[in-house]
Amino acid sequence: MGSGPSGASMKIVSAVITLLLMVVFLGYMMIWSVTPTNTFYLNWFPDVEKKTSSTYLGEQGSTILIYAFPILFIATIASLYLHLEKKYDHDINTRLFSRMILSKRLAITKGPLGIVTWTELTFLAMFVALLVWSLYSYMHDMFAFAAVEAAQEKFQVWEVKLETAGLSLGLVGNTCLAFLFFPVARGSSVLQYVGLTSEASIKYHIWLGHITMAIFTAHGLFYVTYWSLTHQILQILKWDKFMVSNVAGEIALLAGLVMWATSFGRIRRKIFELFYYSHHLYVVFVIFYVFHVGFAGSCLILPGFYLFLIDRYLRLLQSQQKIRSVAARILPSETVELNFSKSSGLSYAPTSIAFINVSSISRIQWHPFTVTSNSNMDSDKLSVVIKCDGSWSHKLYQILSSPSPTNRLEVSIEGPYGPPSANFMRYEKLVLVSGGSGVTPFISIIREIIFKSNTTGSKTPAIHLICAFKKYANLTMLELLLPVSGTTLDLSRLQLQIEAYITQETEPKTVNQSSIRTILFKPNPSDAPVSAVLGPNSWLWLSVIISSSFIIFLLLTGLLTRFYIFPIDHNTNMKYPMPASSAFGMLFVCVAITIAASAAFLWNKRENAKELNQIRTTDMSTPAPSPASLLYETELESLPHQSLRQATTVQLGRRPNLKKILSELKEENVGVYVSGPRTMRQEVAAVCSSFSADNLHFESISFSW
C-alpha cells in the first residue's frame, strides 16, 4: 500500500468512490425491486418517461436513463479508480467490496452449486428472492385485471391468467438476462473493482444461465400452451412490425436451448468443443431477443452486454497480432513450457490466465492456460505450462517433441487476465494443495514469493506445497518452480516445504534429465511481444472507451430519431417499424464501440511502437541457435536446484492425508489454496469447513493447462 500523502489520499478517494458506487448500485437494485409493481409501471415510469421524452432519444430514452446509465457509470468510475490504485500502489484489501467478496468462509462444499462461500450464498439467496418477488408482483398485479380482459376478449379467466403467467415469466427472465454477461467480461473493471476474476466468476454465469433458460423455457411453453388451448396456434408464426415478434422470440429461445443443452457438466467436460462452438449462438440469441422485445425493451439488459461487447472487441484487436515465441521446454511427463517475448510495461499478478491460439493446429480454437512466469522476475518473458490432455495439446506436443521440431511457432494471445493483486501475501503461512497439473498456478505464486524474499525486506509467508501426481515422471514439473533466468536466486530465504505424492507407482524411477530439452525459436520481423491492448494506462483508457462510446451511441440514436423516426411517428399516419428500430439500435451500439475502442487501440499502438521496434531489433540481432533443439542448459546441480530437492519429500503409492495435515496447523493466519480436480477441491473444502478454527482461509483456484 502506498505511503505518505499518496497513501492517505487514496484512502479518502477509496472511501468516497466506494460510497458513491454503493449508493448508485443500491439505487439500481432498488429500481429492479420496484419494477414489477403497478406503482412503478403505472405511476413512476410514465412520469419519468414524460420528463425524459424528447425528439432525440424517443421511447428508449427513459429506459436507457433508468437501467443502462447507472451500470455504465459504475464501470467508468471503477476504471478510473483502478487506474489511480495502480498508479499509487494502493492495497485492494482496503476496499469494502473486496473484503466482502474475498471472504472465504465456506457454506457448501459439495452439490450442484459446487464450492460456495457464505457471501456467495447470501447474494444468491437475495437474487432468488428478487426473482420470486418479481414473479409474485407481476402476477398479482396483472391478475387483478384478468376478469376484465377475459370479458373483452371472450376467453375464460383462467386462460387469461395462463397468458399472464407466461408474460410474467418473460419479464422475470429479463432480470436474469440483465446480469448474465457481467461474469464473462474478462477485462471488466466492475469485476476487478470488487476483487473478482473472470475465471472465478464463471460459476455465477453458469448459475444465471441455468436460471435464465429455465425461466425463458417456461415462458415459451406457457405461451404455446395458451395459443393451443385458445385455438391461436398460428401465433407461433407471427412477426409483428409494431408489437412483440413471436417468431423472433422462438428463434432466440431455440438458440438458447442449444447452448443450455450443451452446457451441462457431462457434455461440457466430455465434448468440450461441442459446448464451445454452440455457445457462439449467443449472437443469434441476443439479436433475436432484441427483435422480440424491441430495442427500447432490450435496454433493460443493455449495460451487461454493452460491457461484454467492449471487452470482446478489445480481445479481438489483441488477438490479431502474432506473438514472438522465444523457446519451449519439453519435459518427460508430456508437459511443455512455452516462453514468449513480453513488453516490459505488461504486468500481471500470479495465477493469471492467458488464452492461446496456435494457427498451425487450428485457427479458431483458443485454449486458456495458467501463466507460470512472474512479471517482476521475468520482465521480458511470459511463460505458460501445457500438459497433454486432449487432441489440441497432443498435437502441440507432437510438433515440439519430434526429432526435427519446428523453428517457429505462430501464436496469438489474449490476456493475461487475473486477480488485481497478490492477496496471498497477507497470510503467515500458505498451504498449497494441487492434483496433477493443478500445480501450475502455484508455480507463479512461489516465483512471486521467491522474488519478494530476495528483493524486499518484508516478511514472506511460509509455503507448504502438497502435490499429488499419478506418475513419478511428473515430478519434473517441480523443476518449473525455478525459471531458467532465476537460477541465482537464494532459496534459503524462502520457507519452503514440498510434499509430493505419487499415487499410481510404488517404486522410484530414474528420470533422464537429458530428455528435458529446450527448443529455441527463430525470430520473425512481423512478430511482436505480448503487450496490453491498451498499454500501461489500460484502466484509464477503458474508462474513456466506455464513456465515449456511450456518448457516440447516444448521438447516433439522437440523430436518427430526430431527423428520421420522429417525423414518421408524429407527422404522418405511419408508425416506424419496431424491427427496423431494433436493427438500428444494435448497429449503433456496435459502431459506437468499434469507433471508440479502435481509436484508443490505434493511439496506444502508435505510442508503444518505439518499444516494440526496440524489442524486435534485439530479437533479430540475437543469433539463431544451431541446431534448433538443444539440451536443457540449466545446471541441475546448481544451488537453487539443490535447495529445491532438499525441501522436497516424495511419498510413493499414497495419497495425502489432508485432514491430518490441516488439523496440525498452528499458525494464526493460514491461507489454504487448492487447485486440481473437482473431487480434490471438494475434499479440501470439506476438511477446511469441518474445522471451527478461524485461522484457516480457504480458496479454490481455477487452473487451465
Side-chain angles (χ1 to χ4, degrees):
M1 179 173 172
S3 58
S6 296
S9 300
M10 277 306 300
K11 285 184 179 180
I12 298 174
V13 171
S14 177
V16 172
I17 291 180
T18 297
L19 180 61
L20 174 63
L21 297 189
M22 184 174 289
V23 169
V24 175
F25 180 73
L26 290 176
Y28 178 73
M29 294 307 299
M30 183 65 69
I31 290 171
W32 277 107
S33 65
V34 300
T35 294
T37 65
N38 278 339
T39 301
F40 176 83
Y41 189 74
L42 299 178
N43 298 320
W44 294 356
F45 185 74
D47 187 49
V48 173
E49 195 172 28
K50 186 183 299 183
K51 292 179 180 178
T52 58
S53 178
S54 68
T55 58
Y56 289 95
L57 294 180
E59 61 180 359
Q60 66 256 30
S62 54
T63 317
I64 291 174
L65 174 66
I66 294 173
Y67 295 98
F69 178 76
I71 292 297
L72 296 181
F73 175 80
I74 289 174
T76 302
I77 299 301
S79 299
L80 290 173
Y81 177 82
L82 290 168
H83 170 72
L84 294 174
E85 180 182 67
K86 183 177 180 180
K87 183 177 180 180
Y88 292 106
D89 194 24
H90 188 56
D91 187 357
I92 183 177
N93 294 311
T94 61
R95 291 190 232 139
L96 176 62
F97 286 161
S98 296
R99 290 201 302 270
M100 291 169 55
I101 297 297
L102 294 174
S103 174
K104 299 297 179 181
R105 291 189 175 275
L106 298 175
I108 301 173
T109 59
K110 293 183 180 180
L113 295 180
I115 301 171
V116 183
T117 66
W118 280 109
T119 301
E120 293 169 335
L121 189 61
T122 299
F123 278 103
L124 178 61
M126 291 169 61
F127 186 75
V128 172
L130 173 63
L131 299 182
V132 173
W133 154 252
S134 299
L135 182 61
Y136 166 78
S137 186
Y138 279 128
M139 294 177 66
H140 177 269
D141 290 345
M142 286 191 283
F143 277 4
F145 302 96
V148 176
E149 292 182 22
Q152 292 175 346
E153 299 178 8
K154 298 181 180 180
F155 290 150
Q156 299 292 326
V157 173
W158 70 268
E159 293 173 333
V160 173
K161 288 185 176 180
L162 181 65
E163 181 193 20
T164 299
L167 175 60
S168 299
L169 286 167
L171 295 173
V172 172
N174 290 337
T175 307
C176 296
L177 196 57
F179 295 92
L180 182 62
F181 289 94
F182 284 105
V184 289
R186 295 172 187 166
S188 168
S189 59
V190 177
L191 292 180
Q192 288 279 331
Y193 180 75
V194 298
L196 289 171
T197 65
S198 59
E199 286 291 311
S201 304
I202 286 297
K203 64 179 177 182
Y204 309 140
H205 176 74
I206 294 173
W207 295 351
L208 287 168
H210 286 310
I211 297 173
T212 301
M213 287 312 305
I215 292 175
F216 278 147
T217 301
H219 164 69
L221 290 175
F222 269 61
Y223 265 99
V224 170
T225 304
Y226 166 73
W227 292 330
S228 178
L229 293 174
T230 57
H231 308 290
Q232 302 180 79
I233 198 65
L234 291 180
Q235 286 285 334
I236 292 178
L237 304 177
K238 182 180 179 181
W239 185 298
D240 199 301
K241 288 186 177 181
F242 309 108
M243 300 294 290
V244 171
S245 170
N246 297 335
V247 173
E250 290 150 13
I251 295 174
L253 180 59
L254 182 61
L257 287 173
V258 174
M259 289 189 289
W260 192 26
T262 57
S263 67
F264 286 93
R266 289 186 178 180
I267 296 178
R268 188 176 69 248
R269 286 188 289 268
K270 292 183 178 180
I271 321 176
F272 179 80
E273 291 187 358
L274 176 62
F275 156 77
Y276 176 77
Y277 292 124
S278 64
H279 239 61
H280 286 80
L281 288 172
Y282 76 86
V283 178
V284 177
F285 176 85
V286 171
I287 289 174
F288 284 95
Y289 167 84
V290 175
F291 281 134
H292 178 56
V293 302
F295 189 76
S298 67
C299 287
L300 277 72
I301 65 109
L302 178 63
F305 190 67
Y306 193 93
L307 296 176
F308 169 76
L309 279 181
I310 291 176
D311 181 76
R312 188 67 189 88
Y313 184 65
L314 290 174
R315 285 159 46 196
L316 176 65
L317 291 175
Q318 185 187 30
S319 67
Q320 299 308 300
Q321 178 63 60
K322 298 303 178 185
I323 299 302
R324 162 77 168 100
S325 301
V326 178
R329 280 205 277 178
I330 315 298
L331 276 68
S333 54
E334 293 192 330
T335 302
V336 176
E337 181 190 52
L338 293 180
N339 299 278
F340 308 101
S341 176
K342 179 183 80 68
S343 169
S344 59
L346 176 64
S347 61
Y348 47 86
T351 72
S352 294
I353 299 290
F355 287 77
I356 294 179
N357 170 268
V358 180
S359 58
S360 59
I361 299 177
S362 173
R363 293 186 179 275
I364 58 176
Q365 289 189 39
W366 289 81
H367 294 266
F369 299 99
T370 302
V371 178
T372 54
S373 56
N374 179 269
S375 59
N376 293 317
M377 189 183 297
D378 304 300
S379 60
D380 60 348
K381 185 183 71 174
L382 183 145
S383 305
V384 298
V385 171
I386 302 172
K387 181 75 169 65
C388 284
D389 187 57
S391 59
W392 188 91
S393 56
H394 271 290
K395 289 177 183 177
L396 177 65
Y397 184 78
Q398 289 171 0
I399 291 173
L400 297 176
S401 63
S402 64
S404 301
T406 180
N407 58 13
R408 181 172 183 261
L409 196 65
E410 194 172 89
V411 175
S412 298
I413 290 181
E414 288 181 10
Y417 308 101
S421 65
N423 295 307
F424 51 82
M425 294 299 296
R426 68 184 189 271
Y427 296 114
E428 181 180 342
K429 182 171 185 176
L430 292 177
V431 178
L432 311 178
V433 184
S434 70
S437 298
V439 74
T440 51
F442 297 150
I443 294 173
S444 60
I445 291 177
I446 293 175
R447 286 185 181 182
E448 174 74 6
I449 297 177
I450 291 174
F451 172 80
K452 290 189 177 295
S453 67
N454 278 262
T455 57
T456 67
S458 59
K459 183 180 179 181
T460 56
I463 304 173
H464 187 180
L465 174 61
I466 304 165
C467 45
F469 300 108
K470 291 182 179 179
K471 304 292 183 181
Y472 196 86
N474 292 333
L475 282 175
T476 54
M477 291 188 68
L478 296 179
E479 298 286 349
L480 299 174
L481 293 173
L482 297 175
V484 175
S485 60
T487 53
T488 60
L489 293 174
D490 184 5
L491 283 188
S492 65
R493 301 183 182 182
L494 185 69
Q495 303 176 62
L496 177 63
Q497 177 187 357
I498 302 176
E499 291 185 43
Y501 292 83
I502 310 301
T503 60
Q504 294 185 1
E505 293 179 349
T506 57
E507 295 292 334
K509 295 184 178 180
T510 302
V511 178
N512 185 6
Q513 296 292 357
S514 64
S515 62
I516 302 178
R517 299 187 304 166
T518 295
I519 301 170
L520 301 180
F521 298 117
K522 291 181 179 179
N524 187 286
S526 63
D527 292 345
V530 182
S531 59
V533 67
L534 295 177
N537 297 316
S538 57
W539 292 119
L540 182 61
W541 278 107
L542 183 59
S543 69
V544 172
I545 292 173
I546 294 171
S547 55
S548 61
S549 64
F550 189 57
I551 292 172
I552 294 172
F553 163 71
L554 293 178
L555 287 174
L556 292 174
T557 303
L559 290 173
L560 179 73
T561 305
R562 173 64 183 87
F563 297 105
Y564 187 60
I565 297 178
F566 183 82
I568 293 177
D569 284 346
H570 293 80
N571 299 332
T572 69
N573 293 325
M574 299 173 60
K575 183 173 175 60
Y576 195 74
M578 191 169 74
S581 177
S582 300
F584 273 116
M586 290 186 284
L587 176 64
F588 288 163
V589 166
C590 295
V591 168
I593 291 174
T594 301
I595 292 174
S598 297
F601 172 76
L602 292 174
W603 178 271
N604 278 273
K605 187 176 182 180
R606 188 183 70 174
E607 292 294 308
N608 296 332
K610 183 180 293 186
E611 180 188 2
L612 300 184
N613 289 333
Q614 184 178 0
I615 294 174
R616 284 189 179 125
T617 302
T618 303
D619 289 341
M620 294 302 296
S621 63
T622 304
S626 180
S629 178
L630 305 174
L631 291 179
Y632 182 53
E633 295 177 350
T634 302
E635 295 183 7
L636 294 174
E637 297 306 320
S638 62
L639 181 60
H641 283 81
Q642 289 178 10
S643 301
L644 182 65
R645 289 188 174 88
Q646 290 171 2
T648 305
T649 59
V650 180
Q651 303 286 337
L652 296 169
R654 291 179 54 191
R655 291 173 53 85
N657 188 341
L658 298 173
K659 187 171 184 178
K660 181 177 182 296
I661 294 172
L662 295 177
S663 64
E664 293 175 349
L665 293 173
K666 304 299 182 183
E667 288 76 6
E668 294 183 358
N669 189 21
V670 180
V672 180
Y673 289 73
V674 58
S675 175
R678 181 178 57 175
T679 53
M680 171 173 278
R681 286 183 276 123
Q682 290 177 340
E683 180 184 357
V684 177
V687 171
C688 290
S689 64
S690 66
F691 297 142
S692 59
D694 293 332
N695 66 316
L696 290 183
H697 304 269
F698 172 85
E699 183 163 350
S700 175
I701 297 181
S702 300
F703 76 99
S704 301
W705 41 273

